[in-house]
Amino acid sequence: MTDMMYFKNIFESGSKEEKIKSVELLSNTTDIEILEFIISIFDDNDIELRGEAFSSLLLNHNNIADILIKNLTKPSKNIRGYCALVLANRKDLVAIPKIIQLTDDESAMVRSCAIGALGHLKASEAASVIRKCLNDPNLEVKKSAIKSAIDIKDKDLLSSLDILKDISDPEIKSLIVLARKNL
């Protein structure tokens, strides 16, 4: 039985513990079919399995950036968002241009993940899209944009955060205070 057949069999009929263990065991694979299957777990209803898939991809010591970047265009918002976060946590700087494109995604969750990923990558070349996301209609995207502005330490971007001072959200207010300390 191939690794992929074993893996699919576990996910069809195995217990949750067996599923988690199988994802752990395959965390260093280079098999594209298995990597695609692990990525597909981002759409699973079980948050623990999604977390295990995230960890498995994060801890994979192989160069899997291309497969993760390819998945940034999948129809699933979960796959697009989580792949952006995996790429950021792996410090895959080559993904920055593709992650920038996700800041225009129809899903607020994906936009928030993309902006957060750009901040984590300290992508100073993304300052203009971070600035644009400060005006996003979604509050979580705005929060991610403020945090990313702080992370990339762009003085012009940090000084422009005053446009958000009238928002009553306490988290935004505390992020703006933190941003001012970084000026």
Side-chain angles (χ1 to χ4, degrees), residues 18-83:
E18 289 172 320
K19 292 175 185 179
I20 289 172
K21 188 67 175 165
S22 68
V23 175
E24 285 175 3
L25 290 173
L26 295 169
S27 66
N28 228 12
T29 187
T30 57
D31 184 306
I32 291 175
E33 189 178 13
I34 291 173
L35 288 167
E36 287 283 358
F37 193 83
I38 293 170
I39 290 167
S40 76
I41 296 170
F42 288 145
D43 271 335
D44 197 280
N45 288 331
D46 189 316
I47 192 166
E48 239 183 300
L49 286 174
R50 291 193 312 263
E52 196 57 49
F54 188 93
S55 294
S56 177
L57 295 167
L58 180 62
L59 298 173
N60 188 312
H61 295 294
N62 300 299
N63 183 359
I64 60 170
D66 288 346
I67 190 89
L68 291 166
I69 290 169
K70 184 181 119 200
N71 277 277
L72 294 176
T73 60
K74 291 285 180 159
S76 165
K77 69 179 181 183
N78 291 336
I79 290 175
R80 293 191 310 274
Y82 288 125
C83 282

Side-chain angles (χ1 to χ4, degrees), residues 71-102:
N71 277 277
L72 294 176
T73 60
K74 291 285 180 159
S76 165
K77 69 179 181 183
N78 291 336
I79 290 175
R80 293 191 310 274
Y82 288 125
C83 282
L85 294 175
V86 171
L87 285 159
N89 280 280
R90 289 174 55 91
K91 302 288 187 208
D92 284 320
L93 301 176
V94 67
I96 290 173
K98 294 294 185 184
I99 294 172
I100 286 172
Q101 291 175 4
L102 290 179

Side-chain angles (χ1 to χ4, degrees), residues 1-13 34:
M1 182 181 292
T2 67
D3 283 345
M4 189 61 207
M5 287 172 52
Y6 171 77
F7 196 47
K8 282 186 175 180
N9 187 40
I10 292 291
F11 267 78
E12 287 172 9
S13 59
I34 291 173

